[in-house]
Amino acid sequence: ARAACAVASLALLGIVAAVGAKGPCSEGFVRTSPVIFMCGGSDGQVSSQYLALAGSSAKSFTIPKGTKDFQVAVVSETAKDDVDLLVYNPSAQEYLVRYDTGKVSNMQLMGTLSGAGVGSDVGVTYTGSKSTPETVTLSGSAPVALEVHIKNNGIFPVTVTLHYSFGAITDCVDPWIEGCEEYDPFEVQRTIVDWGIWVATNYGTADKAWRELAGPMTETQQGWPAD
C-alpha cells in the first residue's frame, strides 16, 4: 500500500516517464524532468510523457542556456483535451511564447530572442494554439535559460506526449546538465509525507482525494469495490 501511495503521489505531482528510454540517468541518479539535456544533443527526435495537473500551468522543464535548435511539440491523448504550450523567459520575467500575451503568440507566430552579441539572436517560431500538434521551434543557441510550461485548461489531469529534439549545448561539461539529479531517499520520504499531509488536510478521506484528483483516470480491478 505504501508503494502504491508513493507512485500515486509522484504521478499526481507531475513526475514523468520516458517513452522507450532505457536508463538515461547514471546509476545513483533519478530522472526529474520529461526532457533530459545531454551535452552532445538529443541525436534525433525523442518522446516522453508529462502529467499536466488540472487547471495548472506548471513548469514542465527548463531549456538550458546554450541549447541549440530546440524544438518541442505537445500531443494530448484526445482531441477534447485543452492544453497549451508556453515558453517563459525568467530573465526578462515575461512569456516568450504564449497564445495570448507572449512576444510570440497566435497573433504573431514568429519572433526573435535577442542574444548578447552580433548575430546571436534566436529565431522563434510558433504554430499557434489551435494547431495539432502545438509546436515551438528555436533556431540558434538559447542565450538564456528558458522554462517550458504546459497549461492544462481542463478540470481533469491530462497526460501529454512531448516530441522534442535539440543540438549540442555550448559550454557543457557534464554528461547532462538538466533532468537528472542525485537520488536522495530522505527527500523522497519527506515529499511523500508532505503530500500525504496535504491530501488529508484538503480532502479528509482517501476516497474523496481519488475522486477529485484522479477523476476519470481511476480504474477498478476485479474484486475491487466499484466506488
Side-chain angles (χ1 to χ4, degrees):
R2 291 182 180 179
C5 289
V7 171
S9 302
L10 294 173
L12 289 169
L13 286 169
I15 302 300
V16 297
V19 177
K22 295 183 178 179
C25 301
S26 297
E27 185 176 356
F29 289 77
V30 293
R31 186 169 190 163
T32 58
S33 167
V35 178
I36 295 178
F37 288 88
M38 294 173 286
C39 293
S42 64
D43 192 23
Q45 189 181 81
V46 184
S47 298
S48 65
Q49 290 184 320
Y50 176 77
L51 180 64
L53 299 185
S56 74
S57 56
K59 181 182 76 172
S60 174
F61 61 91
T62 298
I63 304 171
K65 178 181 178 180
T67 302
K68 185 177 181 181
D69 297 337
F70 181 79
Q71 182 180 73
V72 62
V74 176
V75 179
S76 56
E77 292 182 309
T78 67
K80 67 179 181 180
D81 294 332
D82 186 7
V83 296
D84 288 303
L85 175 61
L86 317 175
V87 180
Y88 182 72
N89 182 354
S91 296
Q93 296 186 333
E94 65 181 9
Y95 278 99
L96 174 64
V97 178
R98 185 183 165 105
Y99 56 92
D100 51 358
T101 59
K103 292 184 66 177
V104 177
S105 65
N106 285 344
M107 298 296 294
Q108 181 73 35
L109 296 176
M110 299 182 68
T112 58
L113 175 60
S114 299
V118 177
S120 61
D121 290 355
V122 175
V124 183
T125 305
Y126 177 47
T127 58
S129 62
K130 301 301 182 183
S131 65
T132 304
E134 194 171 345
T135 304
V136 170
T137 302
L138 305 179
S139 301
S141 296
V144 294
L146 299 168
E147 296 177 358
V148 174
H149 297 194
I150 304 297
K151 186 174 187 292
N152 179 3
N153 303 294
I155 61 173
F156 295 113
V158 173
T159 299
V160 299
T161 299
L162 306 174
H163 302 293
Y164 63 91
S165 63
F166 58 94
I169 302 172
T170 58
D171 300 323
C172 183
V173 294
D174 294 327
W176 59 81
I177 60 173
E178 180 71 32
C180 293
E181 293 184 8
E182 190 171 2
Y183 177 68
D184 183 349
F186 300 106
E187 182 63 27
V188 172
Q189 184 183 51
R190 285 191 293 269
T191 298
I192 294 172
V193 170
D194 289 346
W195 188 82
I197 294 172
W198 175 83
V199 168
T201 301
N202 287 276
Y203 297 97
T205 67
D207 287 343
K208 184 178 180 182
W210 275 113
R211 285 196 303 270
E212 297 194 18
L213 289 174
M217 296 192 305
T218 57
E219 296 179 358
T220 301
Q221 295 185 13
Q222 186 175 3
W224 287 13
D227 55 303

